[in-house]
Amino acid sequence: MAKLRVAGTWSGVLDEVDLENWTVPMLREEVAKRSNVPAGSIKLISAGRMLKDGDGTEKLSELGIKANSKILASRVAVDEGKSLKDAEELNQRLARVKEAVVALSTRHTDGALPLEDFNMEIEDQLGNKLHLPESDRQALMMGLMLHTNGKGLIRKGKFRDALEVLNMAEESFSLCNPKTIELVDNIAMLQMDMVWCYFMLKDIACLSVAGVRLDKARDGFERAHGKDASRLKLLQAGNSSELAVYMRLELLEAVVAYHSGQLEKSRRYLMSAQTKYKRLQVSDEVLSVVMGMGFKENEAKRALRINNQDVERAVDFLVEERARKALKREENLKRQAEILEQKKYGVTPLKKAVDIQLLNGLVSIGFAKELAAEALRRNENDTQKALDDLTNPEINASIQNYIETKNAKRQKQDTDSKIQLLVSMGFDMSAVVAAIQAGGTMEAIMHRLLQQGPLPNPAAAQAQAAAQGAAANAEPPADASFSEPRDVEMEDEIADELARTDALSDYDIDVTREGEAINEYLALLDSTGSSSGSASTSG
């Protein structure tokens, strides 16, 4: 018998699970019974994938579930449920998101050479890079990407889809060292975002787990931000970026308290949230002043909210933001150039990129760049071993010979591809070869060929091109790299979402819906009376 850890609609440990005999429907039935909901409304996730019923005979052990595995249980509203086709499309999208996140995080671990001309890095709230153990880094990066994707779905109003992605993010974060997680507020933000989805879906059945999640969120914010956000304010020079976050947190705590019959507690939270909501309202007068200085409405509103409507501080904040973004763009361009250079040198036996900083160090003491890069590549960026090879005449000569052979092969491939292209355009093969041997850019070669007269028979040219193409493709490129299938569309979608975020994105909340909800629940309290018994739990 084994134990399984369950989180989501019900949190706890399932004892005495027979992995060799239990099926997914049996597990779903047990979780549903403890969650007090129909089994058909429970969806189970393990290791980032949905657990499907299949033919009902597949055992949990056959699905890779082991003792102490973590199972995430989420509830779908059957009465509002999607058609089978819609559900299948959602499952396919979730699988694509998960695979894309795993692929990106693997390619962007420390020292890896990404296929893209950008590099994903984990930063703190001041934009400083965080250096973490590789296992923590990858798990945290996966969690952040999934969380970002989930927030994108929230912005689009796809709250149920967002919950599925946020569940996967929670699982990824759970793989990190707890000490690492305590340093950041991402887990707290994730917990609050999940409860916000419950609220927007009017899923009162998730009330108990919502209370647990909000407790975790408050504890997490206090650890990361300090008591009364004192540490965060110190880091961010006294601004009030956290105000909208704590307002939403208090609203959700008030909603949970109300539906749990704790009416006085609900009122206290609502009054505090309402005070923060009023502080976040930007007057047209101060907004027009800041916009009159050349700033867009959205950025002006954000700056005024964060800086307590102080125009002078808001403008200073915006100027500093623009300077930071300009510096970031400059750093990104530099990193793009480094990645393009690293791609020329290939990867180490352990699939790491050549370290540009170490390479520049070897070049500074007199070694040729390409030679030094190859020595580092062969030795996993171990500078001392690379120096030993470079100063050994026999090994040095061997490295030079390897580089010359590789360059000759690359040059031949480049020449073959040019010949194939020009012959396919109708130029005579012998004339093309002669023009290329004369040297120059592609433009100069084309000009040289056009001066020799009209093109020959196109049909004959195409036959020549086909023959030349077969010869050019007879051997793989010298720098053949990543060839596994990629979901470029999904990877690009996730990368674009990440590119649009910054250190304050999570704190930039449009509080319109929160303001409406505060008034709704205050009105409910007024109509119910604070001394009444338990409140209604209907949505």
Side-chain angles (χ1 to χ4, degrees), residues 73-93:
S74 61
R75 183 169 181 260
V76 294
V78 178
D79 53 342
E80 299 175 8
K82 300 174 180 290
S83 67
L84 288 176
K85 181 182 176 183
D86 288 342
E88 186 59 31
E89 286 177 355
L90 173 60
N91 287 342
Q92 288 175 358
R93 177 181 168 79

Side-chain angles (χ1 to χ4, degrees), residues 177-369:
N177 185 318
K179 295 295 182 186
T180 299
I181 289 299
E182 287 179 3
L183 300 174
V184 296
D185 65 2
N186 303 90
I187 299 296
M189 203 71 73
L190 173 70
Q191 299 292 337
M192 191 175 71
D193 286 340
M194 294 177 84
V195 179
W196 181 251
C197 289
Y198 299 155
F199 172 71
M200 295 302 290
L201 291 167
K202 302 187 184 302
D203 193 347
I204 305 304
C206 286
L207 207 59
S208 59
V209 70
V212 173
R213 290 195 185 283
L214 291 175
D215 288 342
K216 289 180 181 177
R218 186 167 283 281
D219 291 344
F221 284 136
E222 186 163 317
R223 275 196 306 272
H225 298 168
K227 190 76 172 173
D228 298 321
S230 55
R231 187 182 304 126
L232 184 65
K233 288 176 180 175
L234 185 63
L235 284 172
Q236 297 182 351
N239 67 37
S240 301
S241 59
E242 80 292 345
L243 203 59
V245 168
Y246 283 98
M247 184 216 65
R248 177 179 281 186
L249 177 63
E250 289 174 345
L251 165 63
L252 293 173
E253 288 171 326
V255 171
V256 170
Y258 176 84
H259 289 290
S260 302
Q262 302 175 64
L263 304 187
E264 284 301 332
K265 184 178 180 181
S266 178
R267 186 179 292 278
R268 285 198 304 273
Y269 279 131
L270 285 171
M271 297 306 291
S272 180
Q274 188 178 59
T275 300
K276 291 179 176 62
Y277 173 76
K278 289 176 178 177
R279 286 178 59 191
L280 288 164
Q281 299 313 296
V282 177
S283 72
D284 292 339
E285 184 182 353
V286 294
L287 180 61
S288 64
V289 171
V290 177
M291 289 178 64
M293 298 182 186
F295 298 103
K296 294 178 181 177
E297 182 176 355
N298 286 343
E299 61 180 349
K301 273 187 178 178
R302 176 165 97 155
L304 285 164
R305 283 175 179 158
I306 288 173
N307 291 281
N308 298 311
Q309 321 299 321
D310 186 311
V311 171
E312 186 176 348
R313 288 187 60 185
V315 171
D316 289 344
F317 172 85
L318 287 165
V319 170
E320 289 171 8
E321 278 283 282
R322 286 190 174 180
R324 270 195 294 270
K325 286 179 181 177
L327 180 61
K328 190 71 176 176
R329 280 194 297 271
E330 189 178 323
E331 290 174 349
N332 287 342
L333 288 172
K334 182 181 176 183
R335 181 60 186 134
Q336 285 174 358
E338 284 183 353
I339 290 171
L340 292 174
E341 182 181 358
Q342 286 173 315
K343 287 181 179 179
K344 293 192 304 184
Y345 305 132
V347 294
T348 71
L350 293 179
K351 306 301 182 187
K352 302 296 184 183
V354 170
D355 189 304
I356 294 294
Q357 194 171 0
L358 298 179
L359 174 60
N360 290 337
L362 290 175
V363 171
S364 70
I365 57 177
F367 292 104
K369 198 165 197 177

Side-chain angles (χ1 to χ4, degrees), residues 18 108 185 288 329 331 388 396 433 439 519 529:
D18 188 345
H108 289 262
D185 65 2
S288 64
R329 280 194 297 271
E331 290 174 349
D388 291 343
N396 187 301
V433 172
N519 291 332

Side-chain angles (χ1 to χ4, degrees), residues 115-221:
L115 291 175
E116 302 82 3
D117 63 350
F118 60 84
N119 200 35
M120 295 180 183
E121 293 173 323
I122 300 173
E123 299 177 343
D124 62 16
Q125 290 168 332
L126 294 177
N128 301 315
K129 295 178 181 62
L130 291 178
H131 299 285
L132 303 168
E134 191 160 318
S135 59
D136 279 357
R137 176 186 170 83
Q138 186 167 358
L140 189 56
M141 189 178 287
M142 285 173 58
L144 291 171
M145 284 191 276
L146 288 165
H147 190 187
T148 299
N149 187 259
K151 287 184 289 190
L153 291 168
I154 289 174
R155 284 194 297 274
K156 295 172 185 175
K158 298 181 178 181
F159 301 106
R160 201 167 299 286
D161 293 359
L163 265 178
E164 303 286 4
V165 176
L166 295 177
N167 272 323
M168 292 195 294
E170 183 178 42
E171 184 177 8
S172 294
F173 282 134
S174 74
L175 300 176
C176 292
N177 185 318
K179 295 295 182 186
T180 299
I181 289 299
E182 287 179 3
L183 300 174
V184 296
D185 65 2
N186 303 90
I187 299 296
M189 203 71 73
L190 173 70
Q191 299 292 337
M192 191 175 71
D193 286 340
M194 294 177 84
V195 179
W196 181 251
C197 289
Y198 299 155
F199 172 71
M200 295 302 290
L201 291 167
K202 302 187 184 302
D203 193 347
I204 305 304
C206 286
L207 207 59
S208 59
V209 70
V212 173
R213 290 195 185 283
L214 291 175
D215 288 342
K216 289 180 181 177
R218 186 167 283 281
D219 291 344
F221 284 136

Side-chain angles (χ1 to χ4, degrees), residues 430-474:
S430 57
V432 167
V433 172
I436 288 175
Q437 287 176 344
T441 64
M442 192 65 168
E443 185 180 357
I445 293 167
M446 286 276 291
H447 181 69
R448 197 175 296 135
L449 287 166
L450 288 168
Q451 286 183 324
Q452 294 178 12
L455 297 178
N457 185 306
Q462 287 173 5
Q464 285 180 309
Q468 181 62 32
N473 293 324

